[in-house]
Amino acid sequence: EQYRFMLPGPEWTDLDVATVTAGVTYAAAPGGLAVISGSIPPGVPLSIPLDLARALAARGVDVVVDTSGQALKIAVSATDAAIHVLRMNHTE
């Protein structure tokens, strides 16, 4: 079974985004795999999946992105190879 909680959550600041980005990037092991998935909190740029993927790819991490809407459009428009796998469902 799945349980989904669809709450918008608190508004993020630029400092929140920078802190999470730095923490995730630092924790990622070169040669590892990272999955970026889930909804984007209020205040977070829609480019965050691609931004995180680029930061992780620069550390030698393969990245899977599962997103939708405008964030998906931004990820698809990337001309670099930061995203190793772009996971989409039949609607996307």
Side-chain angles (χ1 to χ4, degrees):
E1 292 186 43
Q2 282 189 19
Y3 296 95
R4 293 183 182 230
F5 299 93
M6 306 302 279
L7 305 172
E11 184 86 16
W12 285 37
T13 66
D14 291 342
L15 180 59
D16 294 327
V17 174
T19 300
V20 168
T21 299
V24 168
T25 304
Y26 176 78
L33 176 69
V35 177
I36 301 169
S37 180
S39 58
I40 298 173
V44 175
L46 295 175
S47 63
I48 193 69
L50 179 58
D51 297 340
L52 275 173
R54 285 178 170 153
L56 292 165
R59 287 189 45 91
V61 176
D62 287 335
V63 181
V64 176
V65 172
D66 180 1
T67 191
S68 60
Q70 189 60 32
L72 175 61
K73 289 179 184 176
I74 292 168
V76 168
S77 71
T79 57
D80 54 16
I83 298 172
H84 189 71
V85 174
L86 187 57
R87 188 241 176 244
M88 295 179 282
N89 63 29
H90 69 279
T91 304
E92 296 161 341

